[in-house]
């Protein structure tokens, strides 16, 4: 069963509350999403493997630790996942970036794929799938399916806000994928929007509404 980790760090909660406010404009929304993504990835990567190395400092040599496990890849789900890329790259500059283009059909709420390009060596990487919103879970579940079809089986899902319905969907479809969120909200409304949520993440990020 997928593990669900909710980050209740005060800085993350403060920034998220500003993002939720309908009066917060695109510039601030974009900056805050990037900052929260950076804070989240710090915790998402807490269990990465390290190995002992010897380093020569200006004073002496010492045994230190450096990353040793799988290299990281990040896969934003277009469009809104793009808003999390810079924050993650700030902390993990060597990560390769793939993209999956999905949109949710407004009537059926079913995801439609329009683009997928992953780094060549993704199969050997630990992938962080980025999307601010996990609502019905249809988009994230489809994205994970596409990634698995390409042979990748090590991944974690990183969302800003999740609805219980989305969490349940991922746990059912992909029990091997752990989920990291900044907030677990109450429910979905009749239009598939997260309540209380923050509205349409893509529109708020890109100023398209
Ligand atoms: C939003 C969001 C997720 C999806 C979540 O994208 O960024 O990808 O909806 O909904 P779900 O869990 O019910 O699938 P949207 O389809 O609005 O596309 P956009 O990012 O291009 O705006
Ligand atoms: N997609 C969004 O951008 N917001 C929601 O609340 C649900 C899906």
């Amino acid at each position: 069963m997928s593990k669900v980790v909710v980050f209740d760090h005060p800085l993350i909660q403060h920034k998220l509350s500003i993002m939720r406010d309908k009066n917060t404009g695109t510039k601030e929304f974009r900056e805050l999403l990037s900052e929260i993504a950076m804070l989240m990835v710090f915790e998402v990567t807490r269990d990465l493997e390290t190995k002992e190395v010897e380093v020569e400092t200006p004073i002496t040599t010492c045994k230190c630790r450096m990353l040793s496990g799988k290299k990281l890849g990040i896969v934003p789900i277009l469009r809104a996942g793009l808003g999390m890329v810079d924050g993650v790259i700030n902390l993990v500059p060597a990560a390769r970036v793939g993209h999956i283009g999905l949109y949710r059909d407004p009537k059926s709420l079913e995801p439609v794929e329009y683009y997928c390009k992953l780094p060549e060596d993704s199969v050997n990487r630990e992938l962080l799938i980025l999307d601010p919103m996990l609502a019905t879970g249809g988009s994230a579940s489809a994205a994970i399916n596409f990634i698995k079809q390409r042979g990748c089986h090590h991944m974690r899902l990183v969302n800003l806000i999740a609805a219980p319905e989305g969490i349940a969907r991922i746990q059912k479809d992909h029990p091997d994928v752990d989920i990291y969120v900044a907030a677990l909200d109450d429910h979905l409304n009749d239009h598939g929007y997260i309540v209380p949520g923050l509205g349409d993440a893509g529109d708020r990020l890109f100023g398209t509404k």
Side-chain angles (χ1 to χ4, degrees):
M1 164 84 91
S2 327
K3 175 175 76 174
V4 180
V5 181
V6 184
F7 296 126
D8 58 358
H9 193 288
L11 283 176
I12 293 180
Q13 295 309 316
H14 179 84
K15 290 171 191 290
L16 178 55
S17 298
I18 301 172
M19 290 184 74
R20 288 185 191 272
D21 188 330
K22 66 178 185 185
N23 296 313
T24 297
T26 295
K27 177 176 181 286
E28 198 177 2
F29 188 91
R30 190 182 299 140
E31 289 166 356
L32 289 164
L33 180 55
S34 184
E35 289 168 16
I36 294 177
M38 184 164 70
L39 293 170
M40 287 182 77
V41 86
F42 183 71
E43 281 301 319
V44 171
T45 53
R46 179 170 285 284
D47 63 347
L48 292 187
E49 281 173 40
T50 58
K51 67 176 177 201
E52 193 174 81
V53 294
E54 191 169 275
V55 172
E56 196 174 339
T57 78
I59 312 298
T60 183
T61 57
C62 64
K63 305 249 188 262
C64 308
R65 305 209 67 83
M66 290 187 83
L67 291 172
S68 65
K70 284 186 186 304
K71 292 185 175 155
L72 290 179
I74 60 179
V75 186
I77 300 179
L78 305 179
R79 290 179 296 170
L82 285 176
M84 300 173 79
V85 171
D86 282 356
V88 176
I89 292 278
N90 273 342
L91 277 199
V92 197
R96 297 286 164 89
V97 185
H99 295 89
I100 290 196
L102 290 174
Y103 68 87
R104 205 169 63 145
D105 183 272
K107 286 215 174 73
S108 68
L109 300 184
E110 285 302 313
V112 182
E113 184 195 2
Y114 60 88
Y115 187 76
C116 184
K117 177 87 179 167
L118 300 180
E120 226 169 41
D121 59 352
S122 294
V123 177
N124 301 319
R125 288 180 181 261
E126 176 81 34
L127 301 179
L128 307 183
I129 303 167
L130 309 177
D131 193 333
M133 309 306 273
L134 183 67
T136 64
S139 304
S141 181
I144 294 169
N145 277 333
F146 296 138
I147 292 170
K148 285 182 174 174
Q149 280 162 15
R150 287 163 172 85
C152 308
H153 291 282
H154 300 278
M155 65 195 91
R156 303 166 188 210
L157 179 61
V158 186
N159 304 115
L160 193 63
I161 302 179
E165 294 88 335
I167 297 276
R169 173 78 186 264
I170 298 302
Q171 287 182 323
K172 176 170 156 286
D173 294 355
H174 302 289
D176 54 317
V177 176
D178 290 337
I179 308 166
Y180 297 83
V181 301
L184 187 51
D185 273 13
D186 200 56
H187 64 280
L188 295 180
N189 69 14
D190 292 344
H191 305 288
Y193 277 89
I194 299 176
V195 181
L198 50 67
D200 188 305
D203 282 342
R204 294 197 64 189
L205 184 63
F206 294 106
T208 41
K209 217 173 206 172

